[in-house]
Amino acid sequence: MSSSERSLPKARLRAAALFAVLALPFLAACTVQPLYSNPDSGKPQGAVTADLSLIAIKPVDDRAAQQLRNQLIFLFGRGAGQPATPAYTLTLNVITVHQTGAVVQIGEDNEPTAGTVTMTANYSLTAAGSAEVVTTGRRRITSQYDVPRQEFAAYRARLNAEDRAARELAELLNIVIAQELSKRPTSLK
């Protein structure tokens, strides 16, 4: 074995050590923290969950919006319902659009058609004691469904698609609002 072959592993070892030393500051900057706690904001562990449970949701006017509201009440309160003394008020404006995607019925066969439900929620979270707007936004979920020829089955498929869209949209709004509350420096309790 020649001397140049012996120095090759040492050179690789030095290069790897140099790379590790230079990469260390970049790796230290990459951190992951739980969504429901924010130690930098001065809030204790679980404060975002507590803040979510203090959100009251204003009444809505149609079935799809009521499904979304019910899902949000369950998610925010972790099954406990709406708070007696809310710190925040959530206003929802829900728009549900039904579209026929394709008509496939050829002849007398019971071939389904495709339908789509698009549920859009415009929301505004305000502090209950003031007019301070914590966050506003718009989120949209689409849910597809088959529409059979039987009238009741078609109606039920449409309602199931609305319910599915409401559940998914509630999960999305729960995450978005939790992220916004985690950025706030202190609770409004």
Side-chain angles (χ1 to χ4, degrees), residues 26-54:
F26 293 108
L27 293 175
C30 298
T31 60
V32 177
Q33 66 180 0
L35 172 63
Y36 296 111
S37 68
N38 187 359
D40 295 335
S41 69
K43 290 183 179 183
Q45 287 282 49
V48 174
T49 304
D51 283 349
L52 284 173
S53 68
L54 293 174

Side-chain angles (χ1 to χ4, degrees), residues 8-78:
L8 185 60
K10 289 181 182 179
R12 284 187 183 167
L13 188 59
R14 282 189 207 128
L18 180 64
F19 177 75
V21 169
L22 292 176
L24 191 60
F26 293 108
L27 293 175
C30 298
T31 60
V32 177
Q33 66 180 0
L35 172 63
Y36 296 111
S37 68
N38 187 359
D40 295 335
S41 69
K43 290 183 179 183
Q45 287 282 49
V48 174
T49 304
D51 283 349
L52 284 173
S53 68
L54 293 174
I55 296 175
I57 304 170
K58 288 187 177 179
V60 291
D61 56 357
D62 68 344
R63 182 197 176 280
Q66 186 63 42
Q67 288 294 321
L68 175 62
R69 181 177 182 266
N70 290 346
Q71 290 291 327
L72 284 171
I73 289 171
F74 183 79
L75 290 172
F76 289 164
R78 305 291 186 239

Side-chain angles (χ1 to χ4, degrees), residues 7 51 74-75 82 87 100 119 138 162:
S7 66
D51 283 349
F74 183 79
L75 290 172
Q82 292 220 76
T100 302
M119 188 176 287
R138 173 187 294 197
E162 283 181 1

Side-chain angles (χ1 to χ4, degrees), residues 30 37 47 57 66 76 93 96 102 107 117 119 126 133 145-146 154 158-159 164:
C30 298
S37 68
I57 304 170
Q66 186 63 42
F76 289 164
N93 180 15
T96 306
V117 173
M119 188 176 287
T126 58
V133 176
Y145 63 102
D146 290 334
R158 180 178 171 164
L159 291 181
R164 193 171 51 250

